mmCIF file of all heavy atoms in Angstrom:
data_model
loop_
_atom_site.group_PDB
_atom_site.id
_atom_site.type_symbol
_atom_site.label_atom_id
_atom_site.label_comp_id
_atom_site.label_asym_id
_atom_site.label_seq_id
_atom_site.Cartn_x
_atom_site.Cartn_y
_atom_site.Cartn_z
ATOM 1 N N LYS I 79 97.223 72.421 102.978
ATOM 2 C CA LYS I 79 97.662 73.210 104.118
ATOM 3 C C LYS I 79 98.453 74.444 103.665
ATOM 4 O O LYS I 79 98.974 74.508 102.553
ATOM 5 C CB LYS I 79 98.551 72.359 105.043
ATOM 6 C CG LYS I 79 97.804 71.285 105.801
ATOM 7 C CD LYS I 79 96.920 71.889 106.881
ATOM 8 C CE LYS I 79 96.282 70.793 107.748
ATOM 9 N NZ LYS I 79 95.468 71.375 108.830
ATOM 10 N N SER I 80 98.537 75.388 104.628
ATOM 11 C CA SER I 80 99.471 76.502 104.476
ATOM 12 C C SER I 80 100.684 76.203 105.349
ATOM 13 O O SER I 80 100.579 75.548 106.389
ATOM 14 C CB SER I 80 98.829 77.824 104.911
ATOM 15 O OG SER I 80 97.749 78.151 104.074
ATOM 16 N N TRP I 81 101.845 76.703 104.915
ATOM 17 C CA TRP I 81 103.098 76.364 105.587
ATOM 18 C C TRP I 81 103.890 77.635 105.846
ATOM 19 O O TRP I 81 103.767 78.630 105.139
ATOM 20 C CB TRP I 81 103.946 75.412 104.723
ATOM 21 C CG TRP I 81 103.212 74.173 104.294
ATOM 22 C CD1 TRP I 81 102.404 74.026 103.222
ATOM 23 C CD2 TRP I 81 103.220 72.912 104.965
ATOM 24 N NE1 TRP I 81 101.892 72.764 103.151
ATOM 25 C CE2 TRP I 81 102.392 72.026 104.213
ATOM 26 C CE3 TRP I 81 103.858 72.409 106.099
ATOM 27 C CZ2 TRP I 81 102.185 70.713 104.570
ATOM 28 C CZ3 TRP I 81 103.663 71.093 106.453
ATOM 29 C CH2 TRP I 81 102.831 70.248 105.705
ATOM 30 N N ALA I 82 104.707 77.570 106.881
ATOM 31 C CA ALA I 82 105.658 78.632 107.190
ATOM 32 C C ALA I 82 107.044 78.025 107.260
ATOM 33 O O ALA I 82 107.246 76.993 107.925
ATOM 34 C CB ALA I 82 105.316 79.319 108.508
ATOM 35 N N VAL I 83 107.995 78.620 106.560
ATOM 36 C CA VAL I 83 109.350 78.083 106.493
ATOM 37 C C VAL I 83 110.317 79.154 106.982
ATOM 38 O O VAL I 83 110.224 80.318 106.583
ATOM 39 C CB VAL I 83 109.717 77.671 105.055
ATOM 40 C CG1 VAL I 83 111.126 77.087 105.015
ATOM 41 C CG2 VAL I 83 108.705 76.671 104.517
ATOM 42 N N PHE I 84 111.212 78.780 107.872
ATOM 43 C CA PHE I 84 112.245 79.675 108.361
ATOM 44 C C PHE I 84 113.434 78.849 108.811
ATOM 45 O O PHE I 84 113.332 77.624 109.005
ATOM 46 C CB PHE I 84 111.712 80.530 109.518
ATOM 47 C CG PHE I 84 111.237 79.746 110.712
ATOM 48 C CD1 PHE I 84 112.061 79.556 111.816
ATOM 49 C CD2 PHE I 84 109.964 79.190 110.735
ATOM 50 C CE1 PHE I 84 111.620 78.829 112.903
ATOM 51 C CE2 PHE I 84 109.522 78.457 111.822
ATOM 52 C CZ PHE I 84 110.347 78.264 112.915
ATOM 53 N N ALA I 85 114.569 79.496 108.956
ATOM 54 C CA ALA I 85 115.797 78.818 109.378
ATOM 55 C C ALA I 85 116.456 79.623 110.472
ATOM 56 O O ALA I 85 116.499 80.851 110.415
ATOM 57 C CB ALA I 85 116.752 78.660 108.190
ATOM 58 N N LEU I 86 116.958 78.916 111.521
ATOM 59 C CA LEU I 86 117.632 79.552 112.640
ATOM 60 C C LEU I 86 119.079 79.070 112.673
ATOM 61 O O LEU I 86 119.359 77.887 112.439
ATOM 62 C CB LEU I 86 116.932 79.223 113.957
ATOM 63 C CG LEU I 86 115.450 79.625 114.068
ATOM 64 C CD1 LEU I 86 114.880 79.196 115.413
ATOM 65 C CD2 LEU I 86 115.308 81.134 113.901
ATOM 66 N N ALA I 87 119.978 79.993 112.972
ATOM 67 C CA ALA I 87 121.407 79.656 113.028
ATOM 68 C C ALA I 87 121.951 80.008 114.394
ATOM 69 O O ALA I 87 121.784 81.137 114.867
ATOM 70 C CB ALA I 87 122.171 80.417 111.942
ATOM 71 N N ASN I 88 122.569 79.004 115.072
ATOM 72 C CA ASN I 88 123.225 79.236 116.357
ATOM 73 C C ASN I 88 124.693 79.508 116.061
ATOM 74 O O ASN I 88 125.471 78.596 115.778
ATOM 75 C CB ASN I 88 123.051 78.019 117.272
ATOM 76 C CG ASN I 88 123.711 78.233 118.628
ATOM 77 O OD1 ASN I 88 124.225 79.308 118.915
ATOM 78 N ND2 ASN I 88 123.714 77.194 119.456
ATOM 79 N N THR I 89 125.063 80.785 116.103
ATOM 80 C CA THR I 89 126.444 81.162 115.768
ATOM 81 C C THR I 89 127.373 81.092 116.970
ATOM 82 O O THR I 89 128.558 81.405 116.850
ATOM 83 C CB THR I 89 126.442 82.584 115.205
ATOM 84 O OG1 THR I 89 125.851 83.465 116.175
ATOM 85 C CG2 THR I 89 125.630 82.669 113.916
ATOM 86 N N SER I 90 126.814 80.715 118.138
ATOM 87 C CA SER I 90 127.649 80.651 119.342
ATOM 88 C C SER I 90 128.189 79.235 119.519
ATOM 89 O O SER I 90 127.849 78.307 118.770
ATOM 90 C CB SER I 90 126.827 81.079 120.561
ATOM 91 O OG SER I 90 125.820 80.122 120.831
ATOM 92 N N ASP I 91 128.999 79.069 120.520
ATOM 93 C CA ASP I 91 129.554 77.742 120.842
ATOM 94 C C ASP I 91 128.827 77.120 122.017
ATOM 95 O O ASP I 91 129.354 76.240 122.699
ATOM 96 C CB ASP I 91 131.058 77.853 121.139
ATOM 97 C CG ASP I 91 131.328 78.868 122.253
ATOM 98 O OD1 ASP I 91 130.336 79.479 122.744
ATOM 99 O OD2 ASP I 91 132.503 79.059 122.618
ATOM 100 N N GLU I 92 127.595 77.581 122.306
ATOM 101 C CA GLU I 92 126.783 77.016 123.374
ATOM 102 C C GLU I 92 125.444 76.545 122.817
ATOM 103 O O GLU I 92 124.960 77.067 121.813
ATOM 104 C CB GLU I 92 126.523 78.065 124.470
ATOM 105 C CG GLU I 92 127.777 78.589 125.142
ATOM 106 C CD GLU I 92 127.435 79.634 126.205
ATOM 107 O OE1 GLU I 92 126.235 79.733 126.548
ATOM 108 O OE2 GLU I 92 128.356 80.321 126.674
ATOM 109 N N GLN I 93 124.869 75.596 123.478
ATOM 110 C CA GLN I 93 123.524 75.132 123.104
ATOM 111 C C GLN I 93 122.504 76.167 123.550
ATOM 112 O O GLN I 93 122.588 76.704 124.647
ATOM 113 C CB GLN I 93 123.246 73.781 123.741
ATOM 114 C CG GLN I 93 121.841 73.236 123.426
ATOM 115 C CD GLN I 93 121.631 71.853 124.002
ATOM 116 O OE1 GLN I 93 122.321 70.901 123.642
ATOM 117 N NE2 GLN I 93 120.720 71.755 124.928
ATOM 118 N N ILE I 94 121.521 76.434 122.684
ATOM 119 C CA ILE I 94 120.512 77.467 122.971
ATOM 120 C C ILE I 94 119.137 76.821 123.003
ATOM 121 O O ILE I 94 118.769 76.056 122.106
ATOM 122 C CB ILE I 94 120.545 78.568 121.896
ATOM 123 C CG1 ILE I 94 121.896 79.289 121.897
ATOM 124 C CG2 ILE I 94 119.436 79.582 122.138
ATOM 125 C CD1 ILE I 94 122.004 80.338 120.827
ATOM 126 N N ASP I 95 118.378 77.129 124.053
ATOM 127 C CA ASP I 95 116.968 76.732 124.148
ATOM 128 C C ASP I 95 116.108 77.983 123.987
ATOM 129 O O ASP I 95 116.317 78.990 124.689
ATOM 130 C CB ASP I 95 116.684 76.067 125.497
ATOM 131 C CG ASP I 95 117.365 74.716 125.622
ATOM 132 O OD1 ASP I 95 117.559 74.054 124.587
ATOM 133 O OD2 ASP I 95 117.731 74.339 126.763
ATOM 134 N N ARG I 96 115.176 77.929 123.089
ATOM 135 C CA ARG I 96 114.306 79.070 122.832
ATOM 136 C C ARG I 96 112.864 78.606 122.673
ATOM 137 O O ARG I 96 112.603 77.434 122.352
ATOM 138 C CB ARG I 96 114.733 79.826 121.565
ATOM 139 C CG ARG I 96 116.054 80.583 121.691
ATOM 140 C CD ARG I 96 115.916 81.760 122.632
ATOM 141 N NE ARG I 96 117.133 82.572 122.679
ATOM 142 C CZ ARG I 96 118.112 82.389 123.563
ATOM 143 N NH1 ARG I 96 118.008 81.385 124.453
ATOM 144 N NH2 ARG I 96 119.176 83.182 123.562
ATOM 145 N N LEU I 97 111.936 79.561 122.878
ATOM 146 C CA LEU I 97 110.506 79.296 122.715
ATOM 147 C C LEU I 97 110.008 80.010 121.460
ATOM 148 O O LEU I 97 110.197 81.216 121.301
ATOM 149 C CB LEU I 97 109.718 79.787 123.935
ATOM 150 C CG LEU I 97 109.974 79.079 125.263
ATOM 151 C CD1 LEU I 97 109.172 79.738 126.377
ATOM 152 C CD2 LEU I 97 109.615 77.597 125.173
ATOM 153 N N LEU I 98 109.369 79.240 120.564
ATOM 154 C CA LEU I 98 108.680 79.813 119.409
ATOM 155 C C LEU I 98 107.240 80.066 119.820
ATOM 156 O O LEU I 98 106.516 79.132 120.180
ATOM 157 C CB LEU I 98 108.745 78.863 118.214
ATOM 158 C CG LEU I 98 110.106 78.745 117.529
ATOM 159 C CD1 LEU I 98 110.104 77.584 116.544
ATOM 160 C CD2 LEU I 98 110.453 80.038 116.806
ATOM 161 N N VAL I 99 106.800 81.340 119.768
ATOM 162 C CA VAL I 99 105.492 81.721 120.299
ATOM 163 C C VAL I 99 104.671 82.379 119.184
ATOM 164 O O VAL I 99 105.120 83.349 118.569
ATOM 165 C CB VAL I 99 105.633 82.687 121.489
ATOM 166 C CG1 VAL I 99 104.256 83.058 122.031
ATOM 167 C CG2 VAL I 99 106.489 82.067 122.582
ATOM 168 N N ALA I 100 103.464 81.842 118.928
ATOM 169 C CA ALA I 100 102.506 82.424 117.984
ATOM 170 C C ALA I 100 101.188 82.626 118.718
ATOM 171 O O ALA I 100 100.464 81.656 118.962
ATOM 172 C CB ALA I 100 102.315 81.518 116.769
ATOM 173 N N PRO I 101 100.844 83.872 119.151
ATOM 174 C CA PRO I 101 99.619 84.105 119.928
ATOM 175 C C PRO I 101 98.371 83.712 119.134
ATOM 176 O O PRO I 101 98.322 83.847 117.909
ATOM 177 C CB PRO I 101 99.657 85.611 120.203
ATOM 178 C CG PRO I 101 101.075 86.023 120.005
ATOM 179 C CD PRO I 101 101.618 85.103 118.967
ATOM 180 N N TYR I 102 97.360 83.230 119.885
ATOM 181 C CA TYR I 102 96.085 82.884 119.241
ATOM 182 C C TYR I 102 95.393 84.148 118.713
ATOM 183 O O TYR I 102 94.874 84.162 117.614
ATOM 184 C CB TYR I 102 95.155 82.202 120.242
ATOM 185 C CG TYR I 102 95.661 80.863 120.729
ATOM 186 C CD1 TYR I 102 95.324 80.405 122.013
ATOM 187 C CD2 TYR I 102 96.465 80.060 119.920
ATOM 188 C CE1 TYR I 102 95.776 79.186 122.458
ATOM 189 C CE2 TYR I 102 96.921 78.837 120.378
ATOM 190 C CZ TYR I 102 96.580 78.398 121.655
ATOM 191 O OH TYR I 102 97.028 77.204 122.089
ATOM 192 N N PHE I 103 95.391 85.217 119.530
ATOM 193 C CA PHE I 103 94.669 86.431 119.147
ATOM 194 C C PHE I 103 95.565 87.638 119.345
ATOM 195 O O PHE I 103 96.241 87.763 120.370
ATOM 196 C CB PHE I 103 93.397 86.615 119.984
ATOM 197 C CG PHE I 103 92.682 87.920 119.717
ATOM 198 C CD1 PHE I 103 91.973 88.106 118.550
ATOM 199 C CD2 PHE I 103 92.755 88.963 120.632
ATOM 200 C CE1 PHE I 103 91.339 89.301 118.299
ATOM 201 C CE2 PHE I 103 92.111 90.161 120.387
ATOM 202 C CZ PHE I 103 91.395 90.322 119.221
ATOM 203 N N GLN I 104 95.586 88.513 118.339
ATOM 204 C CA GLN I 104 96.306 89.768 118.421
ATOM 205 C C GLN I 104 95.357 90.882 117.981
ATOM 206 O O GLN I 104 94.877 90.880 116.853
ATOM 207 C CB GLN I 104 97.534 89.765 117.497
ATOM 208 C CG GLN I 104 98.748 89.076 118.087
ATOM 209 C CD GLN I 104 99.348 89.856 119.240
ATOM 210 O OE1 GLN I 104 99.177 89.451 120.390
ATOM 211 N NE2 GLN I 104 100.022 90.936 118.960
#
Side-chain angles (χ1 to χ4, degrees):
K79 289 289 186 178
S80 296
W81 306 85
V83 181
F84 60 98
L86 302 178
N88 181 4
T89 57
S90 68
D91 55 359
E92 299 179 13
Q93 179 176 298
I94 297 178
D95 292 331
R96 290 291 185 268
L97 294 177
L98 287 169
V99 181
Y102 295 150
F103 175 74
Q104 278 291 106

